[in-house]
C-alpha cells in the first residue's frame, strides 16, 4: 500500500525504541496507528532498517527494529553515517522530520521535542531537534519540550532560530508532564481547522517547520512539586550519563522512581498529540473522497 503523504501523520521510532520500557514500544506504536486511522489519517512510522530509511514502516519492519537488540539513535548528524553503514536506527524528532519532509509528509506527532539541556556538565548540549524545526517543512505536534530540560532556554532557542511556536488551546509553552511553564508562545489557536489552515500556509510560505504545542490532558498532569522531587532523584542516578544517553537514562529513571506515573503521563500525552495531528492532517489533505 502506498503512503498518501497528504493524509499521513509521521511517528518517530526513538520514543518506542529508547524512550519506553522494553516490550512496550511495539504495542504502543500499534495503538497510535489505530488512533490515527480512526481519525481518517494514515500513520507513517519512520525509521532505518539495514541502512534503508523508511517512511511508513510495516508492523513487521517495526517489530524487526524493536526485537530487543540495541538500536542506534539517529539524529540529523549521524543519520547518513548509519545509512552508509547499513545499520538499523531509531529516528529522533530531527531525523524523523528530515525523512518525513523528503516523503512529503507535513504533520508529525510525538511526546516532547529535545532542547537545551541543563548545565549538568560544563558544556552546551542542545538537541538537533531545534535546528531541524528551522530546516524542514513539517508541523511537529508535541507537548512542548521535556521537563527534564532547561525549558525556558529551549523556548528562547526556538525564538532565535525563528521557529513559530503556537499553542492549541493554551497560552503558555507546555513542559511535557506539566501543562505550562513560565515561557510564552507566539499565538494561541482554539479551532483545529483554523490551526490546520495556518500550518499549511506557513509550511508552504517558509519551507520551514512549525511547533504546535498541545499540553498534556488535565487529568494526566503531574503536580510540579512532585515532578521536581522525582527529577532531582533521576538526575542523581544519571550523573554519569552523557550526550545521547542522557535523555533515555533520565526517562527510564523517572519511570522507575515514580512507580510508572511518568510513563502513564508520557503515553497519555503522546496519544493526545496523535489525535490532534490526525485531525490537522485530515483538514490539510488534498484528497477528495474518491482519492
Ligand atoms: N519524546 C518522548 N520520548 C523520547 C523522545 C521524545 O516522549 O524518547 C526522544 C525524541 O526522539 C527526541 C529525542 O528527538 O528524545 C531527543 O534526544 P536528544 O536530547 O539526544 O536530542
Ligand atoms: Mn545532545
Amino acid at each position: 500500500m502506498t503512503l498518501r503523504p497528504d493524509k499521513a501523520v509521521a511517528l518517530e521510532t526513538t520514543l518506542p525504541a529508547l524512550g519506553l520500557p522494553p516490550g512496550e514500544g511495539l504495542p504502543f506504536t500499534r495503538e497510535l496507528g489505530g488512533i490515527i486511522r480512526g481519525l481518517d489519517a494514515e500513520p507513517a512510522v519512520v525509521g532505518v532498517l539495514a541502512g534503508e530509511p523508511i517512511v511508513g514502516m510495516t508492523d513487521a519492519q517495526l517489530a524487526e527494529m524493536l526485537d530487543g537488540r540495541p538500536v542506534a539513535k539517529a539524529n540529523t548528524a549521524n543519520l547518513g553515517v548509519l545509512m552508509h553503514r547499513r545499520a538499523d536506527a531509531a529516528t529522533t524528532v530531527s531525523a524523523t522530520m528530515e525523512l518525513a519532509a523528503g516523503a512529503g509528509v507535513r504533520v508529525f506527532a510525538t511526546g516532547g521535542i529535545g532542547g537545551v539541556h541543563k548545565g549538568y556538565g560544563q558544556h552546551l548540549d542542545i538537541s538537533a531537534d531545534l535546528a531541524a524545526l528551522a530546516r524542514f517543512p513539517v508541523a511537529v505536534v508535541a507537548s512542548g519540550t521535556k521537563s527534564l530540560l532547561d525549558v525556558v532556554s529551549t523556548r528562547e532557542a526556538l525564538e532565535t532560530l525563528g521557529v513559530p511556536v503556537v499553542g492549541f488551546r493554551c497560552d503558555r509553552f507546555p513542559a511535557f508532564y506539566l501543562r505550562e511553564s513560565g515561557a510564552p508562545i507566539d499565538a494561541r489557536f482554539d479551532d483545529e481547522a483554523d490551526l490546520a489552515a495556518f500550518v499549511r500556509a506557513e509550511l508552504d510560505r517558509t519551507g520551514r517547520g512549525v511547533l504546535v504545542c498541545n499540553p498534556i490532558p488535565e487529568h494526566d498532569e503531574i503536580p510540579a512539586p512532585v515532578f521536581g522531587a522525582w527529577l532531582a532523584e533521576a538526575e542523581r542516578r544519571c550523573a554519569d550519563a552523557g550526550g545521547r544517553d542522557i535523555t533515555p537514562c533520565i526517562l527510564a529513571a523517572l519511570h522507575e522512581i515514580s512507580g510508572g506515573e511518568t510513563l502513564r503521563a508520557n503515553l497519555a500525552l503522546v496519544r493526545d498529540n496523535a489525535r490532534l495531528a490526525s485531525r490537522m492532517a485530515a483538514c490539510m489533505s488534498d484528497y477528495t473522497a474518491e482519492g
Side-chain angles (χ1 to χ4, degrees):
M1 205 184 78
T2 51
L3 183 76
R4 291 160 56 156
D6 273 69
K7 294 192 92 176
V9 172
L11 297 172
E12 58 158 303
T13 36
T14 294
L15 171 66
L18 299 161
L20 299 182
E24 303 218 15
L26 189 60
F28 184 63
T29 308
R30 284 192 188 127
E31 184 194 339
L32 293 178
I35 290 173
I36 293 167
R37 282 194 197 91
L39 290 165
D40 201 29
E42 278 184 28
V45 177
V46 177
V48 179
L49 272 188
E52 217 50 62
I54 305 169
V55 178
M57 295 177 85
T58 63
D59 229 42
Q61 288 171 327
L62 184 65
E64 195 182 327
M65 171 178 289
L66 303 177
D67 66 2
R69 280 172 299 178
V71 62
K73 174 175 166 182
N75 62 24
T76 37
N78 61 343
L79 173 65
V81 171
L82 290 164
M83 287 166 53
H84 182 74
R85 303 247 159 107
R86 304 257 176 270
D88 291 353
T91 51
T92 62
V93 168
S94 68
T96 302
M97 286 187 79
E98 179 169 2
L99 295 176
V105 175
R106 296 175 298 192
V107 185
F108 166 20
T110 186
I113 62 163
V116 181
H117 281 264
K118 293 180 183 173
Y120 298 131
Q122 263 73 57
H123 308 291
L124 269 181
D125 182 350
I126 302 176
S127 175
D129 294 355
L130 300 182
L133 276 157
R135 293 171 61 196
F136 305 113
V138 175
V140 180
V141 181
S143 302
T145 193
K146 274 166 281 183
S147 358
L148 47 104
L149 301 172
D150 179 338
V151 176
V152 176
S153 295
T154 298
R155 175 65 188 93
E156 286 297 338
L158 288 163
E159 171 80 5
T160 301
L161 290 163
V163 175
V165 177
V166 301
F168 182 65
R169 298 183 185 162
C170 64
D171 298 299
R172 311 293 292 173
F173 189 59
F176 209 61
Y177 308 114
L178 317 174
R179 281 181 60 81
E180 47 180 65
S181 70
I185 53 174
D186 290 312
R188 171 185 174 125
F189 284 79
D190 286 284
D191 180 70
E192 282 159 5
D194 185 37
L195 174 60
F198 161 72
V199 162
R200 187 179 172 150
E202 184 71 358
L203 298 179
D204 285 349
R205 186 183 74 84
T206 65
R208 304 188 298 262
V210 173
L211 180 60
V212 176
C213 296
N214 184 38
I216 185 171
E218 254 162 79
H219 56 274
D220 295 305
E221 185 178 27
I222 295 173
V226 174
F227 176 72
W230 290 342
L231 180 59
E233 173 59 21
E235 287 171 352
R236 272 192 290 279
R237 292 191 192 181
C238 296
D240 294 333
R244 290 172 189 141
D245 299 332
I246 292 178
T247 302
C249 180
I250 293 192
L251 287 174
L254 282 172
H255 296 339
E256 195 184 303
I257 295 161
S258 69
E261 282 301 314
T262 55
L263 178 60
R264 268 190 290 283
N266 194 337
L267 299 182
L269 65 86
V270 177
R271 282 185 198 103
D272 203 55
N273 293 338
R275 285 184 205 106
L276 176 58
S278 301
R279 290 192 289 256
M280 288 175 61
C283 288
M284 288 163 68
S285 173
D286 285 330
Y287 290 88
T288 59
E290 307 84 61

